[in-house]
Amino acid sequence: QVQLQESGPGLVKPSETLSLTCTVSGDSISSPSYHWGWIRQPPGKGLEWIGSIYYSGNTYYNPSLKSRVTMSVDTSQNQFSLKLSSVTAADTAVYYCASEYSSSPTYWGQGTLVTVSS
Amino acid sequence: QSALTQPASVSGSPGQSITISCTGTSSDVGSYNLVSWYQQHPDKAPKLLISEVTKRPSGVSNRFSGSKSGNTASLTISGLQAEDEADYYCCSHASEGGSASVVFGGGTKLTVL
């Protein structure tokens, strides 16, 4: 079974760049079966898909976030990463990484809370 | 890309059945059999219940079932149990202007009376 673990700063200042990494275990990130995605959930609100990446580097982003999102994959470390630029308080959320199969986030990390505040 | 539409809340008594709807458009639910459903308990990560409209992952109770008609997908929970009280989200593959993406519903809070 695939296991995922998010890591990164829990506090980011407004206008700066949020950076998170997801470490995958139990399967290779180069597996052709999965895309690797990020989903977020503001406190008390619903889920929002941020985007996903294939091991080849092909990316798919939420159109509403596309201008600020960059995803990358490091096959040597079995990790993939998220960068979200120019953050505001509205970007405060629990950020989840997940494996995606047939556009369904299947295995999820436990989530990490990122707060945007000065 | 707009969120899929779900009722904010539903309720039912133990042993009853409930259905949660998820309405999208011809750019998402209506065009792809790639609808999934998730259960989320407080302070927990979402758990996949149904993928590809009707498929139940190993370990998920057969009390959970999915279906789709046109632009609307549905999750039915039969034989309601207290532990089913949670938030439920639908999710669909979407495509607009040639760009693929994924869209979630706004979530439905299930209360077991």
Side-chain angles (χ1 to χ4, degrees), chain A residues 2-52:
Chain A
V2 179
Q3 295 184 312
L4 303 99
Q5 178 68 58
E6 306 88 352
S7 59
L11 181 64
V12 181
K13 289 182 168 57
S15 80
E16 295 190 345
T17 296
L18 177 159
S19 296
L20 294 173
T21 296
C22 183
T23 301
V24 179
S25 58
D27 203 345
S28 170
I29 204 166
S30 298
S31 167
S33 301
Y34 295 112
H35 285 75
W36 304 97
W38 291 95
I39 301 107
R40 69 180 182 179
Q41 185 171 34
K45 296 188 178 181
L47 301 169
E48 180 180 34
W49 181 79
I50 300 171
S52 62

Side-chain angles (χ1 to χ4, degrees), chain A residues 40-81:
Chain A
R40 69 180 182 179
Q41 185 171 34
K45 296 188 178 181
L47 301 169
E48 180 180 34
W49 181 79
I50 300 171
S52 62
I53 187 167
Y54 199 48
Y55 75 94
S56 61
N58 286 353
T59 53
Y60 307 85
Y61 296 148
N62 184 325
S64 67
L65 298 169
K66 186 174 183 177
S67 63
R68 298 195 292 131
V69 172
T70 303
M71 293 184 183
S72 60
V73 63
D74 184 343
T75 55
S76 67
Q77 297 292 320
N78 226 39
Q79 296 176 332
F80 62 105
S81 298

Side-chain angles (χ1 to χ4, degrees), chain A residues 39 41 45-49 52 60-64 66 96 100-106 108-111, chain B residues 1 34-36 38 40 44-48 50-52 89 91-93 99-106:
Chain A
I39 301 107
Q41 185 171 34
K45 296 188 178 181
L47 301 169
E48 180 180 34
W49 181 79
S52 62
Y60 307 85
Y61 296 148
N62 184 325
S64 67
K66 186 174 183 177
Y96 296 99
E100 286 185 11
Y101 181 78
S102 293
S103 294
S104 297
T106 304
W108 295 62
Q110 65 184 26
Chain B
Q1 182 189 35
L34 295 173
V35 177
S36 49
Y38 300 85
Q40 186 180 33
K44 298 292 186 184
K47 173 189 174 183
L48 178 65
I50 299 286
S51 65
E52 297 179 65
Y89 294 90
C91 174
S92 174
H93 178 85
S99 295
S101 62
V102 170
V103 60
F104 281 95

